[in-house]
Amino acid sequence: LFRLGDTIRLAADMFKLLVRIRYSSPLFRLARTADVVRQLTFFNTGPDQVPGVVAMTLTSADQLPPAGSGAPGSGVLDPGFKRVVVVFNASPLDQELGYPAGPASLQLHPLQAAFTQDPRTSSGCVADNGQRVLRLPPRTTGVFVERR
């Protein structure tokens, strides 16, 4: 059982984790509209979407086909990751979502994976490369990466 102070500290630590994850990849800071349009895609859309789940992929420019008038790889390059996949599970249920198109394999972001070792939390976010599904517990954000 957590005391209120412990809960507030945990929430603050989780917020700091998300800020550190944001700064771990330039893909979270796309400044030009053209880069956002080209490098950000949403999946879990359409009539078969899982309610309460928002899922997006940020793709390093060198992993995309050349733009119509741009050179191959024009846009924002990420030196560490080919892709970053973020899934927000706002629902009160565990959710399972198929992989987006593109990545060969995914793993939990290394900073988030390290945080799950904290005894105060158990993230439960899993990338199952065999079945090509992402699993998230209720009301959780999972950040997954395809490493270079």
Side-chain angles (χ1 to χ4, degrees), residues 12 18 26 33-34 44 46 52 59-60 66 73 76 80-82 84 86-87 91 96 110 118 140:
L18 292 175
T33 302
N44 187 43
T59 304
S60 185
V76 176
F81 306 123
K82 293 178 181 180
V84 178
V86 183
V87 182
S91 81
E96 189 172 279
D118 187 314
T140 303

Side-chain angles (χ1 to χ4, degrees), residues 5-60:
D6 294 336
T7 303
I8 291 170
R9 271 190 291 285
L10 177 60
D13 289 346
M14 292 177 86
F15 176 78
K16 290 175 192 172
L17 169 70
L18 292 175
V19 170
R20 286 189 5 244
I21 288 173
R22 180 177 182 258
Y23 282 99
S24 72
S25 171
L27 298 175
F28 285 115
R29 296 180 306 282
L30 300 174
R32 295 179 336 136
T33 302
D35 295 336
V36 172
V37 169
R38 189 156 184 261
Q39 293 181 252
L40 171 65
T41 56
F42 288 89
F43 64 107
N44 187 43
T45 59
D48 295 327
Q49 73 185 57
V50 178
V53 178
V54 177
M56 66 182 196
T57 302
L58 294 157
T59 304
S60 185

Side-chain angles (χ1 to χ4, degrees), residues 92 102 132 139 145:
R132 296 188 56 78
R139 296 185 176 93
V145 296

Side-chain angles (χ1 to χ4, degrees), residues 115-148:
F115 191 77
T116 63
Q117 302 305 312
D118 187 314
R120 298 173 299 166
T121 183
S122 172
S123 170
C125 297
V126 175
D128 183 333
N129 289 311
Q131 295 185 357
R132 296 188 56 78
V133 295
L134 302 171
R135 294 189 182 92
L136 287 96
R139 296 185 176 93
T140 303
T141 298
V143 182
F144 303 91
V145 296
E146 180 181 17
R147 289 182 180 258
R148 291 197 177 275

